[in-house]
Every structure is written in structure tokens, then in C-alpha cells.
Amino acid sequence: MGSGRMTSQYSHTVTRIDIPTGIAYDDFVAAFEKAAPAFDPGPVERIVETGGSWDDVRAAVAANAPHDMVRYARINTTPLFGTAGHTTRSVEYLTGNHIIAERMFRHDPRALLYAPLRMLVFSDGDGNAVFTMHRPSDEFGSLGIPEVTAVGEDLDRIVVDLLRVCGVDASEAFAGTSR
């Protein structure tokens, strides 16, 4: 630590939201992956390579994210944990949107600690999907920057809308998001 700067530590509280969907696991995962398609890096890479503008990036992301979200990563834990004898199915997602993330990054690069959003879908005892994640407004609000907190609150609403497209009303689960 030769920089002469002091290390900082901060604690914050987040709300984990668990939503039993009542939808069969495979059906919910298929609906979720359709609503939040896999990120296609090709168009954005071409924009960067050709010196395109941020407006070009906005257009490319909008075309890839019909419901404001794309999946940057999908981690299917079912096969691996199945070898340990587990029967609960689960898949983790890193989900987000470059344009939304930039609205926070401009104020504080630490916002990328929480973007993209981490989401988990797992099966309950009846074979239905349970959706779980930390409430975005809590994560981003922990930085103490009103503009970043406001984007986190927007993300709460975007997740509610995304889940609605998947057949789940999550409005009550995300209610009371203002700090």
C-alpha cells in the first residue's frame, strides 16, 4: 500500500427477494431466457471497432434487450451438484444492460460491483421455479449517491416488468423500494 491512501470499509444491508413463481421450472427458465436474451457482443464490438457513437451502442443494446435486460452469463449448476446427489435444479444469471450501467458508472465506477445483476432460479419441492435476487435499489443505494440510487430504483421496476413478461407478478415483492 505504497500509495499513501487509507483503506475503507463499508457495511450495507440488502433485501433478498425470493419469489415462488408457481410455474414449472423448465417453463419459467424458458420464459426468462426469452424475455432476457443472451447478450450478443458482435454489434457492440463492431461499433467500438469502427468508432461508432454511444447512440449507436444504445440502438444495438435496445435491439438485443426487448425488455431492457440481456443475459451476460448463464451458469447451470444442476449437472455439477447432481453428481453430489442434489435434485434441486438451479441456474444462475448475470443480467443487465450496458446503457443502464453507464448511468451509474458515470457517477461511481464501484456501481459495477453490483452490475450486472445476479439472479438465481431454482426448483422447489413441487418442481416449480423460485426466482431470487438482491433488490437492486439496496445494492446501488449502498453507494450513497442519489443518482445511482435512482437508477437502482429504476432497475427494481425493470425486474418487476421482466418477471411480468415471464408470467409472475412481483410488484408486491419489490414494493417499498424507496429508502
Side-chain angles (χ1 to χ4, degrees):
M1 297 237 350
S3 68
R5 298 178 192 209
M6 299 293 293
T7 300
S8 300
Q9 294 182 2
Y10 300 91
S11 295
H12 69 278
T13 302
V14 297
T15 302
R16 187 186 68 238
I17 297 175
D18 299 323
I19 303 171
T21 67
I23 299 171
Y25 177 84
D26 286 333
D27 294 341
F28 181 81
V29 166
F32 182 84
E33 292 184 2
K34 181 179 179 186
F39 172 61
D40 179 3
V44 174
E45 289 170 356
R46 283 188 291 283
I47 291 166
V48 171
E49 290 168 2
T50 61
S53 70
W54 190 245
D55 285 337
D56 295 332
V57 174
R58 276 190 185 97
V61 171
N64 192 182
H67 302 286
D68 296 318
M69 291 285 190
V70 294
R71 290 179 285 113
Y72 295 107
R74 179 187 196 275
I75 305 166
N76 182 1
T77 59
T78 301
L80 178 63
F81 293 149
T83 62
H86 297 284
T87 58
T88 300
R89 299 173 71 191
S90 61
V91 60
E92 295 176 78
Y93 298 103
L94 295 180
T95 308
N97 180 311
H98 286 72
I99 303 307
I100 296 169
E102 187 279 330
R103 291 174 45 209
M104 296 179 287
F105 182 84
R106 71 175 74 154
H107 298 286
D108 191 330
R110 292 176 298 175
L112 296 184
L113 285 170
Y114 312 115
L117 304 173
R118 187 171 182 171
M119 302 173 176
L120 174 70
V121 178
F122 64 93
S123 61
D124 65 15
D126 295 325
N128 292 324
V130 177
F131 174 89
T132 189
M133 70 177 298
H134 288 165
R135 186 166 51 201
S137 58
D138 293 344
E139 296 279 26
F140 296 110
S142 73
L143 296 172
I145 301 167
E147 296 86 354
V148 174
T149 300
V151 176
E153 291 167 351
D154 288 346
L155 283 164
D156 292 348
R157 289 185 286 279
I158 289 168
V159 171
V160 167
D161 291 343
L162 180 70
L163 292 174
R164 186 174 294 118
V165 169
C166 298
V168 175
D169 181 0
S171 54
E172 279 190 41
F174 282 84
T177 59
S178 55
R179 306 181 138 265

